[in-house]
Structures are given as structure tokens and as C-alpha cells.
């Protein structure tokens, strides 16, 4: 595992256009062949997968507000979805920089 951070994840609900909370869990960045996988599991005993995607160069990732990162990624149904990850303010820059680095670098 490259890095991990506790996040609250939300996704845009297409039916009513607002944010739909997906859960709170640990975001793990894992090496996966020549890319990095972003895997977020719910903090519940079931550990349901909230987000599982490979990072790539063209993936839009941006800071949103004081403590959030917005990511546009493909979900488990191969549909594009917008995710909002709320991160502790003190960890935001570090986590954002790590995501950006993992998008463009080939892990060792």
C-alpha cells in the first residue's frame, strides 16, 4: 500500500442531482501492475467497497473547498461517476499531491 487516508465519500445522484453519501472509510493507494489503484472500503464490519479505480494521467482530480477532493472516475458498472472525498483539512494537500503523483508516475 502506497498511502492511506480516512475519507468520507459521496457521489452525484443522477436522479435528483445532489450528492449521495457513499460512506466513510480508509482510502488506500495500492500498486497494481504499472498503475496505482485507489481503493476505498467502508468502515463497517462488512468493509463494502465504496470506490475502486485505477488512476491514470487524464483522470480529472481537483481540490473542492477547504477539505474535499473531487475525482471523476469509472465505477463498478463501467459508468463515469463524480466522487467527492472529504478529507481532514490537515491531510488534504498531502493526499491530493499523492493522488496527482500516482496519476503520472509508474510505481517501482
Amino acid at each position: 500500500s502506497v498511502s492511506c487516508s480516512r475519507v468520507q465519500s459521496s457521489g452525484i445522484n443522477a436522479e435528483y442531482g445532489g450528492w449521495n453519501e457513499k460512506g466513510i472509510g480508509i482510502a488506500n493507494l495500492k500498486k497494481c501492475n504499472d498503475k496505482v489503484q485507489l481503493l476505498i472500503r467502508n468502515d463497517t464490519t462488512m468493509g463494502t467497497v465504496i470506490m475502486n479505480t485505477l488512476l491514470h494521467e487524464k483522470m480529472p482530480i481537483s481540490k473542492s473547498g477547504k477539505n474535499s477532493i473531487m475525482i471523476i472516475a469509472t465505477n463498478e458498472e463501467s459508468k463515469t461517476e463524480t466522487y467527492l472525498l472529504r478529507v481532514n483539512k490537515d491531510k488534504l494537500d498531502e493526499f491530493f499531491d499523492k493522488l496527482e503523483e500516482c496519476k503520472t508516475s509508474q510505481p517501482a
Side-chain angles (χ1 to χ4, degrees), residues 8-48:
Q8 177 180 351
S9 177
S10 301
I12 289 185
N13 186 313
E15 290 178 31
Y16 66 91
W19 291 101
N20 183 25
E21 186 173 329
K22 293 189 173 286
I24 297 172
I26 301 293
N28 291 291
L29 294 169
K30 297 181 172 191
K31 294 176 185 175
C32 184
N33 297 326
D34 62 340
K35 296 192 183 232
V36 176
Q37 172 189 26
L38 172 59
L39 177 65
I40 305 173
R41 286 189 177 275
N42 217 329
D43 268 355
T44 62
T45 52
M46 297 285 289
T48 309

Side-chain angles (χ1 to χ4, degrees), residues 45-97:
T45 52
M46 297 285 289
T48 309
V49 173
I50 297 171
M51 183 178 189
N52 183 11
T53 190
L54 291 174
L55 301 178
H56 57 84
E57 272 187 79
K58 296 185 191 301
M59 179 177 276
I61 298 176
S62 60
K63 291 181 187 175
S64 179
K66 296 183 284 191
N67 66 338
S68 298
I69 295 173
M70 193 175 299
I71 299 176
I72 299 174
T74 306
N75 65 19
E76 63 279 354
E77 298 163 357
S78 298
K79 294 181 181 172
T80 302
E81 189 169 357
T82 302
Y83 294 88
L84 188 67
L85 306 179
R86 288 198 181 95
V87 184
N88 183 318
K89 279 190 298 202
D90 302 335
K91 302 267 185 191
L92 179 71
D93 290 334
E94 179 186 345
F95 188 57
F96 178 79
D97 291 345

